[in-house]
Amino acid sequence: MTDEPSDFKASSRIPVTGQLYISRDDLSEEFVRASGPGGQNVNKVSTAVQLRFDLERNETLPADVKSRAAKLAGSRLTLNGEILLQADRHRTRERNREDALERLLELLRKASERPKPRKATRPTLGSKKRRLESKKQRGQIKKMRGRSGQMTD
């Protein structure tokens, strides 16, 4: 039993980026008691929200975005393929609901960015010379650490 405002299910599409969106059908939320601010109210009213996004069954996101989102979600990804976010920063259900949804959208926006492919580069001639010179200096320092009666070559 959740008290949802009428505008929550009004639009079935939630934009993530310009081209990507998620469906409200892939989201489910449950209200639980929060441990944060709220005074005496915190023990009586369930204001914290647990937002679940069904990543595995989602049909609107491309496979590469889903895999990056799963990696970004880390321990928030359940064995059922759902991203579970808990929001209890605020005292009201509505603000916690907005907070959880915004955090989910931010995660999905980050996942929608394609990583820049790494270009293999070679060290410059100057950097090679500097590295070898520092190795020689270090070797000389270590060579001088020998016992005073010992002959060094």
Side-chain angles (χ1 to χ4, degrees), residues 54-86:
D54 199 344
L55 184 66
E56 193 173 289
R57 290 174 198 51
N58 176 274
E59 297 175 356
T60 59
L61 298 176
D64 60 330
V65 174
K66 282 184 184 183
S67 66
R68 285 193 296 269
K71 194 175 284 186
L72 283 171
S75 63
R76 295 173 291 190
L77 187 69
T78 66
L79 295 174
N80 297 334
E82 296 177 329
I83 296 176
L84 176 64
L85 296 172
Q86 177 151 341

Side-chain angles (χ1 to χ4, degrees), residues 31-46:
F31 292 98
V32 294
R33 290 203 177 125
S35 61
Q40 294 174 358
N41 202 37
V42 79
N43 298 323
K44 296 185 276 186
V45 182
S46 300

Side-chain angles (χ1 to χ4, degrees), residues 22 48 100 104 142:
I22 58 174
L104 173 69
K142 289 184 176 187

